[in-house]
Amino acid sequence: MENGIYSVEKELNKAKRDISLSAFSILFSEIVQYCLYKSKKGYRLEDALHEIGLRVGYKLSEYLYYKNKMKRSITILNILTFISKHVWKYLFQHSSDLLKSQDSIYEYMICDKNILLNKYITVPKDYGNINCASFAAGIVEGFLCSSEFQAEVTAHTIYENEQNQNTTILVKFYPEVIEREKNH
Amino acid sequence: MSKDKYQKQGDAIFAKLEKVNSELLSLTYGALVSQLLKDLEIVDEVNEQLEKMGHNIGTRLIEEFLAKSDISFCEDFEETVEVIAKVAFKMFLGITGTVTCINKESNIYSIIFFNNPLSDFVELPKSLSSLNYCSLLCGVVKGALKQIRITVSCYFVKDMLKGDDYYEMYIQLQDILKEEILNDEEQ
């Protein structure tokens, strides 16, 4: 496009706009339906949602640092704090908690008490432990991998009691990343 | 004027709803379209799939729309399109459109709008110039109106992603299905 450069600046500096939560929720539910349809062909529902989340994560790793006028993170703690505070606030309007696993030096956890994605989703019992927050896990993995912090990120449901369900995003870094951190 | 009434109604309802960042919608929709392009590979199939998904969304959206807004009867098709452009668009996407009549006999109306949260940050490469990126929206309108027994055809004639200065969507009324009341005695 001839006016390519001009339109990039315009897009990046757009004023913040809001849409209704229901519009996003209905679109997300349609995406889950599509992934369910894919799961009949042999893909797991969570993997399909994860793949879509990856694409969002790749874009965010460039965009959000620009938007928040911050420098890129080069340590594990910095990038995870950025994700649990700024990325979560940008996407889901509240920040989440970051925890380090006691059992393994490779694992960290991001906990979100009521993630926006699952607000209108109930998982039937015969689907087991599926959590549609795999989409958010994909976003985190895309963000980390494109910032050279290779990790495997998955979403898990923690049942506090009958009614309450927390979502925990488990981040498992590859050994090279931890080694690199030690040599810093 | 009835036009201002719908605008005010749309604004009032939108103010009361729980909101999220529009960029979340833009990014999610963009990721969905990229994923569909990877899975289906043929652009026409992606267009079709987007419209189908829009249709499913529309069938559920109309219930929420009717529940949250106070709209009762529309006198004619023009008013229906006006409600879509001013109230529904505002309620769900935070944008307002202007309605113009293209052809009164064949019942074609157009909605023009300048912002589209679905296509923020998007640039279509030359190889995908036949991709109707916003065809989800057409599917939503078709699916929603079908649930209230109005069949329409809906398509974009001007698309900002394809180089035009604004978005223009044509809605043409095809059929209004009458309620069928079955008489038990006839069985």
Side-chain angles (χ1 to χ4, degrees):
Chain A
M1 282 176 72
E2 289 86 52
N3 49 349
I5 300 171
Y6 165 66
S7 63
V8 167
E9 275 194 41
K10 203 167 63 151
E11 296 275 345
L12 285 179
N13 296 322
K14 268 196 179 143
K16 184 167 180 274
R17 268 212 307 262
D18 283 330
I19 48 139
S20 66
L21 173 62
S22 47
F24 173 72
S25 306
I26 297 187
L27 176 67
F28 186 65
S29 86
E30 196 54 38
I31 294 178
V32 174
Q33 295 282 29
Y34 176 70
C35 293
L36 246 150
Y37 159 74
K38 264 176 87 170
S39 72
K40 299 205 167 73
K41 294 193 208 161
Y43 294 95
R44 283 177 59 224
L45 170 72
E46 292 176 310
D47 289 342
L49 273 175
H50 195 270
E51 199 177 343
I52 301 184
L54 274 179
R55 295 169 188 275
V56 178
Y58 289 147
K59 311 277 155 83
L60 284 182
S61 68
E62 303 265 344
Y63 178 58
L64 280 184
Y65 281 114
Y66 168 80
K67 207 151 184 229
N68 286 316
K69 298 188 172 44
M70 288 169 74
K71 290 206 179 137
R72 283 200 200 215
S73 314
I74 52 172
T75 55
I76 289 183
L77 215 52
N78 276 355
I79 198 169
L80 285 178
T81 322
F82 185 81
I83 293 178
S84 66
K85 274 218 297 248
H86 294 104
V87 178
W88 238 249
K89 205 145 193 179
Y90 170 79
L91 291 173
F92 308 127
Q93 303 186 308
H94 56 262
S95 48
S96 54
D97 304 317
L98 178 64
L99 302 167
K100 188 170 177 352
S101 159
Q102 307 292 340
D103 310 316
S104 161
I105 51 164
Y106 303 119
E107 289 178 10
Y108 289 79
M109 291 162 303
I110 297 178
C111 300
D112 190 338
K113 289 239 156 90
N114 38 359
I115 194 164
L116 205 88
L117 300 172
N118 286 342
K119 190 166 182 182
Y120 298 114
I121 296 183
T122 29
V123 182
K125 289 217 170 65
D126 47 334
Y127 276 86
N129 272 333
I130 286 190
N131 192 332
C132 295
S134 310
F135 181 65
I139 297 180
V140 176
E141 187 167 325
F143 195 99
L144 287 172
C145 291
S146 60
S147 309
E148 298 294 332
F149 284 88
Q150 287 78 7
E152 270 172 28
V153 187
T154 44
H156 303 271
T157 334
I158 312 276
Y159 293 93
E160 281 204 340
N161 47 48
E162 270 297 310
Q163 269 79 25
N164 276 352
Q165 288 173 22
N166 289 352
T167 304
T168 304
I169 312 260
L170 182 67
V171 181
K172 197 165 172 189
F173 285 105
Y174 281 32
E176 305 90 72
V177 179
I178 309 286
E179 287 302 313
R180 189 179 71 197
E181 190 87 347
K182 280 200 199 141
N183 297 335
H184 240 242
Chain B
M1 277 197 69
S2 64
K3 286 189 185 173
D4 291 332
K5 160 179 111 177
Y6 287 130
Q7 178 107 27
K8 284 198 191 114
Q9 208 167 358
D11 292 337
I13 302 172
F14 186 60
K16 285 189 259 169
L17 294 172
E18 212 177 321
K19 301 203 228 333
V20 290
N21 197 345
S22 75
E23 295 177 3
L24 175 59
L25 185 81
S26 321
L27 290 166
T28 311
Y29 185 63
L32 173 69
V33 177
S34 308
Q35 186 66 33
L36 284 174
L37 281 166
K38 177 177 171 243
D39 293 337
L40 302 170
E41 286 170 27
I42 304 173
V43 179
D44 286 331
E45 279 189 37
V46 177
N47 284 340
E48 218 182 282
Q49 179 71 21
L50 281 175
E51 272 221 42
K52 214 165 49 159
M53 289 177 83
H55 199 273
N56 294 341
I57 291 182
T59 4
R60 299 167 58 198
L61 204 96
I62 184 79
E63 289 186 23
E64 173 149 2
F65 174 74
L66 290 173
K68 292 211 168 126
S69 69
D70 254 333
I71 309 288
S72 50
F73 285 108
C74 286
E75 295 269 324
D76 53 14
F77 188 60
E78 177 165 13
E79 217 176 315
T80 314
V81 180
E82 195 69 41
V83 168
I84 296 177
K86 296 272 182 332
V87 189
F89 269 26
K90 185 77 192 188
M91 259 175 81
F92 293 107
L93 296 174
I95 54 175
T96 342
T98 14
V99 178
T100 31
C101 179
I102 303 293
N103 191 329
K104 201 138 187 157
E105 286 99 48
S106 5
N107 272 318
I108 307 182
Y109 291 87
S110 91
I111 303 183
I112 296 180
F113 50 100
F114 294 91
N115 299 317
N116 188 353
L118 287 177
S119 61
D120 276 343
F121 306 129
V122 179
E123 198 175 300
L124 281 184
K126 286 211 172 65
S127 54
L128 296 174
S129 52
S130 60
L131 177 67
N132 297 332
Y133 194 84
C134 306
S135 46
L136 190 100
L137 216 53
C138 295
V140 173
V141 172
K142 270 205 256 194
L145 288 177
K146 189 140 194 225
Q147 287 297 101
I148 45 176
R149 298 172 159 273
I150 301 176
T151 330
V152 295
S153 73
C154 184
Y155 47 94
F156 273 90
V157 295
K158 288 242 188 321
D159 193 338
M160 266 170 114
L161 295 175
K162 298 192 183 171
D164 302 307
D165 299 321
Y166 49 87
Y167 291 97
E168 188 170 3
M169 188 164 85
Y170 274 14
I171 305 185
Q172 176 174 23
L173 174 68
Q174 290 183 327
D175 209 358
I176 298 184
L177 300 162
K178 293 270 183 288
E179 294 272 347
E180 279 181 21
I181 303 173
L182 289 172
N183 196 337
D184 281 337
E185 291 165 3
E186 283 176 22
Q187 279 181 333

